Amino acid sequence: MSELPPDLPRLRTVVTYLRGGLGRAERALNTAEEREALAAQRRPPAEPPAWLIERGIGAGRLPVRVHAGGCWDSRKRCTPIDTDQARRALAEGIPACPRCRPDTAPTPPRHRPQDAGVNGRRHGGGMPPALRFVVYPRMPRAGAVPASTGRSSAAPSVPATSSNSCAAPS
């Protein structure tokens, strides 16, 4: 036997009641999803790993290189490892990345003071460390006269004329 009433007016009443309950449940679900999305935005991003190991292609996927965590040359085949595993891999003869040089870094590159630029801020944005802080000689400004010529650097004087060619005829 059915739990629903058999007559039409009472069935309509039950449907109206259930639609109202469904609406309340959907609104509660939407507010809970919005609250979760806001909480996810407020969470700080996960810190990148300090060390990575790059694996080769194929069934065995043997280690190919060891990278520091902030290496710009790391690829998709890299997996995070801890400091002890990185040291062990380097000691076992797995080559170090020639770009980030984890074999010479006591700590990951993002913590080393030599990677800091002006006022402690990082510079480079993906450039190899060897090319980050190249100092180029200053170029002379346009119109500047070299000091060795002995000429004056003052602007040439223009003779003043008594007639004004822009004046309206009288």
Side-chain angles (χ1 to χ4, degrees):
M1 191 164 199
S2 174
E3 296 178 15
L4 297 175
D7 58 314
L8 188 62
R10 288 194 291 173
L11 278 173
R12 284 191 179 137
T13 304
V14 169
V15 168
T16 303
Y17 174 77
L18 291 175
R19 282 185 184 150
L22 178 63
R24 285 191 300 274
E26 286 176 343
R27 285 192 296 275
L29 177 66
N30 287 338
T31 56
E33 287 174 346
E34 289 172 2
R35 196 175 326 123
E36 182 65 29
L38 287 174
Q41 288 176 353
R42 282 189 227 128
R43 281 187 218 124
E47 181 148 344
W51 304 98
L52 301 168
I53 191 153
E54 182 180 345
R55 303 226 174 244
I57 301 172
R61 294 190 48 118
L62 297 174
V64 177
R65 281 195 253 178
V66 177
H67 294 274
C71 181
W72 61 272
D73 194 26
S74 60
R75 297 181 174 93
K76 290 182 180 180
R77 298 186 314 259
C78 289
T79 56
I81 56 174
D82 62 11
T83 305
D84 293 334
Q85 290 173 327
R87 287 183 183 143
R88 196 175 318 118
L90 290 169
E92 290 173 359
I94 296 172
C97 172
R99 275 53 167 208
C100 62
R101 303 288 310 263
D103 53 343
T104 61
T107 59
R110 64 179 180 274
H111 299 296
R112 289 189 296 170
Q114 62 264 29
D115 275 354
V118 180
N119 296 329
R121 284 182 249 139
R122 283 183 52 105
H123 290 256
M127 301 239 343
L131 301 178
R132 277 193 191 151
F133 301 108
V134 176
V135 179
Y136 297 100
R138 293 186 72 170
M139 298 295 293
R141 290 186 309 206
V145 178
S148 62
T149 60
R151 291 189 290 170
S152 170
S153 64
S157 61
V158 178
T161 59
S162 60
S163 66
N164 190 353
S165 60
C166 294
S170 1

